[in-house]
Amino acid sequence: ISIIYYEEYSNIDEIIERKSEFEDKKLILLIDDDTALLMYVKEHLEKYGWIVIAVADPDRAINSYYDLNPDCVIIDIHMKDKNGFDVLVQLKEKMKQQFIPTIMISVDHSKETRMKSYRLGTDDFIQKPIDIEEFIVRINRQLERKQAIDNVMLIDELTRVYNRKFLAQTYERFVSSLKRRRVSFCIALLDLDHFKQVNDTYGHTVGDEVLATFADTIRKGLRVNDIIIRYGGEEFIILLPETKANEAKPVLERILREFSNIPFEANEEEFYCSFSSGIHEVQSSETDITRNIEIADGALYEAKQGGRNQIKV
Ligand code: GH3
Ligand code: MG
Ligand code: MG
Ligand code: MG
C-alpha cells in the first residue's frame, strides 16, 4: 500500500487490482487537475486512515467508476480540459439508485456556483484554498451519512443481518479474491427445521423471536469477516471467506449445537428448535452464483432428507 500512498497521483489500475486489501477502509475519489493539491490532500487524508484515489484526468475517473466503487467523490469545478459540473452529472448518472456523497471544491465560491452545484445534486461545497482540518470533518460527515443509509438499505430489520440485496456484490468480491489469490470460500445455506409448525403452534410473533435468536446465534458463532445474509423467510446464507468445506463444517456444527440448546418459551411451554445446513466450497472453475447456491441447496436438501438438525457438505 505504501507505494500507492506517496505517488504523485494514484495508479488507478493498481488500486482496482488491490482493492480487496483495503476492503474495510473508506475510499475517496478526488478529481482535480492541480497535482500539487492532489498530493497535499492525499497525504493528509491518508494519515486519517482513508484511501485516496487522486486523479487529474476526469475521464479516467469516470470510466473506472464502477471498478473503484468509492465511498465519497470530491470534484474540482475548474479543470483544464473539463468542467467539474459535467463530471458531477456524468458520475451521478452512473451512481443510479446507489447513494454516494459528492463534494464540489472551487476557488470560485460565488452564490451562482454554489447554487449550481447544489442544483446538480452535490452534497456539499467547499471553497479553496482548502482548510484541511475542516475538509476532513466535512468528508467524515458525508461518509457517516453514507454508512447510515447503507445500513438501513442493506440490513434486515427483524434479524439485523444483511438482506438479499447485499448478496450479489459480496459474492463478486469473494470470487475476485478467489481468482486472484486462490483462496477458497464457502457458501452455507441454513434453513430452520419445521418452522411452519412453530408459527402454527405458537403464533407468528413467537416465530419472529425464534428467527431473531437464530440470527444472533449465527452471528455469535462466526468470525468478523463472515457475512450473514437473510436469503428468504427462514433461510440464511453465510459466506465464509478463506475457508475450506472441512473447516466450515465444524463451525456450523458448533452453531447448531448452540442453537438447538436454546429453550424458547410460549403458552407456558418450553420448546426447542433446530436447523439444517448445506455447505459448498466454491471452486475457481465454477464461479456462477446461481449454480453455487444450487449446489449448497442440494446439500441442504440432503440434510433435510437425512432427518434435519444436521450439516451436509
Ligand atoms: P422444513 O424443515 O422442511 O424446512 O420445514 P419448514 O416448516 O421450516 O418449511 P417451510 O418452508 O414449509 O416453512 C417455512 C415457514 O417460515 C413458512 C413461513 O410462514 C415462515 N416464515 C417465513 N418468514 C417468516 C417471518 O419473517 N416470520 C415468521 N414468524 N415466520 C416466517
Ligand atoms: Mg482546478
Ligand atoms: Mg425454507
Ligand atoms: Mg424450514
Side-chain angles (χ1 to χ4, degrees):
I1 294 179
S2 58
I3 318 166
I4 304 172
Y5 275 7
Y6 299 107
E7 273 178 6
E8 189 191 10
Y9 45 85
S10 307
N11 181 334
I12 292 187
D13 293 325
E14 187 173 349
I15 287 179
I16 293 168
E17 176 67 24
R18 300 172 66 179
K19 207 166 173 289
S20 65
E21 289 171 36
F22 23 82
E23 204 132 89
D24 48 342
K25 293 203 172 172
K26 299 293 182 193
L27 228 106
I28 295 164
L29 176 59
L30 172 64
I31 308 168
D32 197 313
D33 59 349
D34 175 355
T35 51
L37 178 131
L38 289 180
M39 253 174 17
Y40 170 75
V41 169
K42 184 174 165 65
E43 195 184 322
H44 279 82
L45 297 193
E46 291 195 336
K47 272 192 222 145
Y48 204 74
W50 297 324
I51 301 290
V52 177
I53 311 152
V55 279
D57 175 0
D59 290 319
R60 184 86 176 83
I62 292 166
N63 291 332
S64 321
Y65 175 77
Y66 288 125
D67 290 324
L68 293 170
N69 190 25
D71 295 290
C72 180
V73 182
I74 301 165
I75 309 163
D76 176 35
I77 293 180
H78 300 279
M79 290 183 282
K80 280 191 292 288
D81 314 315
K82 207 167 172 118
N83 179 328
F85 294 128
D86 294 339
V87 178
L88 177 64
V89 169
Q90 277 179 275
L91 285 176
K92 280 262 165 196
E93 262 163 40
K94 295 206 165 208
M95 289 169 191
K96 303 223 172 72
Q97 67 276 74
Q98 213 192 352
F99 170 66
I100 310 291
T102 55
I103 300 174
M104 301 306 279
I105 51 176
S106 179
V107 194
D108 167 17
H109 61 281
S110 64
K111 182 166 181 194
E112 197 194 333
T113 304
R114 283 181 288 132
M115 287 306 285
K116 182 163 184 191
S117 303
Y118 291 127
R119 268 200 306 275
L120 291 174
T122 196
D123 298 278
D124 200 0
F125 180 99
I126 298 173
Q127 80 184 68
K128 288 180 175 182
I130 283 181
D131 177 293
I132 198 75
E133 256 179 280
E134 185 184 343
F135 199 47
I136 287 172
V137 170
R138 284 165 77 166
I139 293 170
N140 197 41
R141 205 182 115 63
Q142 294 303 330
L143 291 173
E144 283 172 358
R145 284 180 71 214
K146 175 174 163 33
Q147 187 68 57
I149 289 168
D150 283 353
N151 287 351
V152 172
M153 292 212 9
L154 298 176
I155 290 188
D156 173 60
E157 232 171 280
L158 174 65
T159 60
R160 309 301 303 157
V161 299
Y162 290 111
N163 62 36
R164 223 182 150 124
K165 281 183 223 154
F166 194 66
L167 177 63
Q169 69 185 83
T170 311
Y171 181 86
E172 284 317 314
R173 245 172 43 208
F174 281 30
V175 163
S176 93
S177 95
L178 167 66
K179 283 180 176 162
R180 212 172 39 243
R181 297 192 289 137
R182 309 238 150 255
V183 279
S184 23
F185 73 94
C186 279
I187 297 180
L189 218 60
L190 292 73
D191 185 289
L192 286 173
D193 296 330
H194 302 302
F195 189 56
K196 197 173 170 319
Q197 212 171 296
V198 172
N199 276 323
D200 292 348
T201 314
Y202 306 106
H204 211 261
T205 314
V206 175
D208 281 359
E209 271 170 45
V210 171
L211 267 172
T213 305
F214 182 34
D216 282 343
T217 313
I218 299 171
R219 194 173 12 236
K220 280 186 206 133
L222 294 176
R223 300 161 303 183
V224 282
N225 290 328
D226 300 329
I227 302 284
I228 315 165
I229 291 160
R230 188 175 179 192
Y231 188 57
E234 31 89 75
E235 205 163 305
F236 292 75
I237 282 186
I238 307 175
L239 296 175
L240 303 104
E242 299 183 28
T243 308
K244 296 192 176 306
N246 64 359
E247 296 165 333
K249 195 165 183 246
V251 173
L252 267 299
E253 275 165 347
R254 207 177 52 234
I255 294 171
L256 178 55
R257 264 199 309 280
E258 195 71 39
F259 181 67
S260 59
N261 280 314
I262 296 175
F264 292 97
E265 245 186 65
N267 307 346
E268 286 161 33
E269 241 176 78
E270 200 176 71
F271 68 96
Y272 292 84
C273 293
S274 64
F275 66 87
S276 304
S277 176
I279 298 173
H280 173 56
E281 183 181 317
V282 177
Q283 308 296 322
S284 51
S285 53
E286 173 58 83
T287 54
D288 182 68
I289 184 167
T290 311
R291 181 65 199 128
N292 281 303
I293 291 174
E294 248 170 44
I295 299 172
D297 201 31
L300 171 62
Y301 181 77
E302 275 180 44
K304 292 279 185 187
Q305 290 297 311
R308 296 177 171 76
N309 191 19
Q310 57 190 276
I311 319 292
K312 286 273 186 222
V313 174

